[in-house]
Amino acid sequence: MSYSDQFFKAIGVQAGRGGNLSQFSKSAGVPVDRLKFYNQSNVIPSGKDLKLITKASGVSESILKLKMGRLDKDLLEAIQEYANEIAPLISKHEPTIESPQTECTLEFQTKLGKLYKGDCYTLLKSMRSDSIDMVFADPPFNLSKLYPSEIDDNLKTEKYLHWCQEWLYECIRVLKPGGALYLWNLPKWNAALTNFLESYLTFRNWIGVDIKYSLPIANRLYPSHYSLLYYIKGDKPKTFHADRLPMQVCPKCYGDIKDYGGYKDKMNPKGVNLTDIWTDIPPVRHAKYKRRDGSNELSLKLLDRVIEMSTDKGDVVFDPFGGSGTTYMAAELKKRKWIGCEIGPLDVITDRFELIDSEKDILDSYRDKLNALFPENIRKNREKRGIWTCESVRKVSQSELFD
Ligand SMILES: C[S@@+](CC[C@H](N)C(=O)[O-])C[C@H]1O[C@@H](n2cnc3c(N)ncnc32)[C@H](O)[C@@H]1O
């Protein structure tokens, strides 16, 4: 994925046959490969290259940054200072909407939820401001994937980011004060979107969800986490109750994996605090859990956790990108109202609701192991093997008080 020639356009260069790229390279004294790199990654040259390029093109550093859409502190300060002069010029600009703009129709309903077919941007435009308690969005990752909906998943970088900003802006508008917005994406895209989100919301966490999502690439670190951005509208979350997790034990002998030394009796019997690194979310690969082909279905466990954390029963959850309907299923089972949307076929989602009982069993099996330092099965096995439990360390510390 690359940008659409913003750098070349800014300096008046045309690549390809009949273009002036190699001529410019010679006159500037900057190799063609490096010019191509600045163009493809939309990176502003620095150091000697910057001097050479601005001299050869006659384009100033500020114009270069403006035309490449890279606004740094100095430029922003200048724009703030001359806002009144600039505003009339900006108002001439017609905003471009990249979304396909299909109509949205209500196609499926449950006691708690409504599922629409169509473009989420259209649906969002019709939704009331400040009406949603939690938004969870798992958009396409722009990885040239073939979706059943045949959407274009190979946009130029800046187009993809603009598109994300369009629907995110509407998601923010419909969010209630104190409501939570979760954005699931590759770290590369979420990093690029934080600046926009920071303009409207309050940052809570960058949650690293430990799932390997790609094969190792030479000269790179092995990509092993998805990013889950967690923001709220306003200064305080209206709801926040994070689950507590069981202590990690050896799956074979049930013994401790870490040394808790003298702190055993200080451990909260309800479990350990949830951190911003989640290592217990399974990828959905197993046929038993998988609802549709392709790898873009999230685990019910992930949705259970965020819905639990940021909503109460009866609250409204909105997910603009239905996919296989994981968010809607989790919301329904957890007695939250939900609004959903999917541009592609809906049968995967509607069929899934026919299997709601088995989905409930899966969800219950996750919840059974939460909010206890040692879930029942583990506690019994530790007791049997004479390994400490919350009860045993408490008894010991009490007995230490008496002879
Ligand atoms: C990554 S998947 C979501 C997977 C989902 N979280 C799950 O667990 O099954 C993204 C989905 O968004 C849908 N989509 C893409 N563009 C859309 C749009 N503008 N409006 C609504 N849905 C869209 C795609 O068809 C795809 O099914």
Side-chain angles (χ1 to χ4, degrees):
M1 246 72 62
S2 62
Y3 287 78
S4 45
D5 293 346
Q6 300 185 93
F7 171 69
F8 282 165
K9 280 182 198 151
I11 58 171
V13 159
Q14 274 191 335
R17 222 183 258 174
N20 59 347
L21 176 59
S22 46
Q23 206 185 324
F24 182 86
S25 159
K26 271 189 207 128
S27 71
V30 179
V32 166
D33 279 357
R34 227 156 46 226
L35 293 171
K36 281 189 178 163
F37 160 75
Y38 293 132
N39 189 55
Q40 267 167 16
S41 50
N42 205 42
V43 160
I44 301 173
S46 53
K48 281 188 200 144
D49 280 1
L50 179 64
K51 276 201 183 129
L52 295 170
I53 290 165
T54 48
K55 191 167 168 228
S57 63
V59 171
S60 71
E61 188 181 338
S62 306
I63 298 280
L64 191 60
K65 288 179 192 165
L66 282 169
K67 291 205 169 172
M68 290 172 71
R70 297 292 200 195
L71 304 185
D72 60 11
K73 174 189 145 290
D74 290 344
L75 266 182
L76 281 173
E77 274 174 13
I79 291 171
Q80 284 170 306
E81 190 177 340
Y82 297 108
N84 290 339
E85 288 79 358
I86 295 169
L89 292 172
I90 291 176
S91 65
K92 289 183 195 158
H93 172 77
E94 291 281 325
T96 45
I97 303 291
E98 309 291 353
S99 312
Q101 293 282 300
T102 60
E103 282 304 307
C104 273
T105 48
L106 178 61
E107 299 279 329
F108 175 71
Q109 278 193 74
T110 65
K111 245 196 265 163
L112 296 169
K114 285 192 163 88
L115 176 63
Y116 293 84
K117 180 166 171 63
D119 180 2
C120 63
Y121 187 74
T122 318
L123 179 65
L124 274 158
K125 281 286 192 191
S126 70
M127 287 165 62
R128 264 189 302 123
S129 298
D130 307 317
S131 58
I132 299 291
D133 296 278
M134 178 189 134
V135 174
F136 181 92
D138 167 20
F141 296 162
N142 207 31
L143 287 177
S144 312
K145 200 178 146 59
L146 191 64
Y147 282 92
S149 54
E150 293 175 14
I151 53 149
D152 184 357
D153 195 40
N154 188 19
L155 299 172
K156 288 282 181 195
T157 297
E158 82 276 14
K159 289 225 164 116
Y160 176 70
L161 294 174
H162 286 171
W163 173 71
C164 287
Q165 289 183 18
E166 275 169 11
W167 56 260
L168 276 169
Y169 180 83
E170 289 301 317
C171 286
I172 294 164
R173 179 185 63 76
V174 301
L175 199 60
K176 279 184 195 167
L181 181 139
Y182 291 90
L183 180 58
W184 174 268
N185 213 324
L186 305 178
K188 164 188 155 113
W189 295 132
N190 269 0
L193 288 165
T194 49
N195 194 25
F196 170 78
L197 293 168
E198 296 282 317
S199 306
Y200 300 98
L201 299 173
T202 308
F203 175 79
R204 296 274 289 174
N205 292 99
W206 173 294
I207 301 165
V209 182
D210 181 1
I211 301 177
K212 295 204 173 27
Y213 63 84
S214 167
L215 294 170
I217 309 165
N219 293 325
R220 296 261 181 111
L221 296 181
Y222 192 166
S224 130
H225 85 278
Y226 283 87
S227 155
L228 178 63
L229 278 174
Y230 166 34
Y231 278 86
I232 52 157
K233 187 160 166 174
D235 60 342
K236 274 202 292 277
K238 53 190 275 300
T239 310
F240 182 70
H241 13 71
D243 281 321
R244 299 184 78 94
L245 302 187
M247 195 185 97
Q248 271 195 315
V249 296
C250 165
K252 284 191 186 139
C253 70
Y254 299 94
D256 297 0
I257 287 178
K258 276 194 213 157
D259 181 10
Y260 289 89
Y263 290 98
K264 294 182 185 111
D265 59 339
K266 313 247 167 2
M267 304 279 292
N268 189 329
K270 290 197 173 137
V272 292
N273 275 324
L274 190 60
T275 73
D276 55 8
I277 302 284
W278 295 358
T279 54
D280 60 337
I281 303 295
V284 184
R285 292 208 183 104
H286 197 289
K288 182 175 154 201
Y289 300 111
K290 207 164 179 49
R291 299 298 166 222
R292 73 169 178 181
D293 293 336
S295 54
N296 53 2
E297 179 186 334
L298 297 178
S299 161
L300 206 53
K301 190 171 185 181
L302 177 79
L303 271 303
D304 170 58
R305 181 166 298 166
V306 290
I307 291 176
E308 187 71 29
M309 193 147 94
S310 294
T311 61
D312 291 307
K313 283 189 184 143
D315 280 356
V316 189
V317 174
F318 173 63
D319 182 339
F321 302 103
S324 66
T326 315
T327 309
Y328 316 144
M329 181 53 71
E332 182 86 15
L333 291 170
K334 297 178 74 63
K335 310 246 176 318
R336 273 65 169 174
K337 294 180 195 139
W338 57 270
I339 300 173
C341 187
E342 169 57 53
I343 205 164
L346 301 185
D347 49 344
V348 194
I349 306 176
T350 52
D351 291 354
R352 189 170 182 173
F353 271 83
E354 308 252 311
L355 301 172
I356 191 157
D357 291 340
S358 64
E359 299 270 353
K360 183 174 183 311
D361 293 344
I362 298 171
L363 193 80
D364 289 348
S365 74
Y366 292 142
R367 290 222 69 79
D368 282 351
K369 298 183 190 82
L370 293 172
N371 301 310
L373 196 61
F374 301 117
E376 201 45 20
N377 167 41
I378 295 190
R379 188 187 60 78
K380 278 191 190 150
N381 273 293
R382 284 173 72 94
E383 251 172 23
K384 224 190 314 172
R385 289 168 164 79
I387 311 171
W388 69 274
T389 61
C390 299
E391 293 73 15
S392 72
V393 284
R394 223 166 303 137
K395 263 187 232 150
V396 170
S397 49
Q398 276 186 4
S399 65
E400 276 166 3
L401 296 174
F402 310 102
D403 285 331

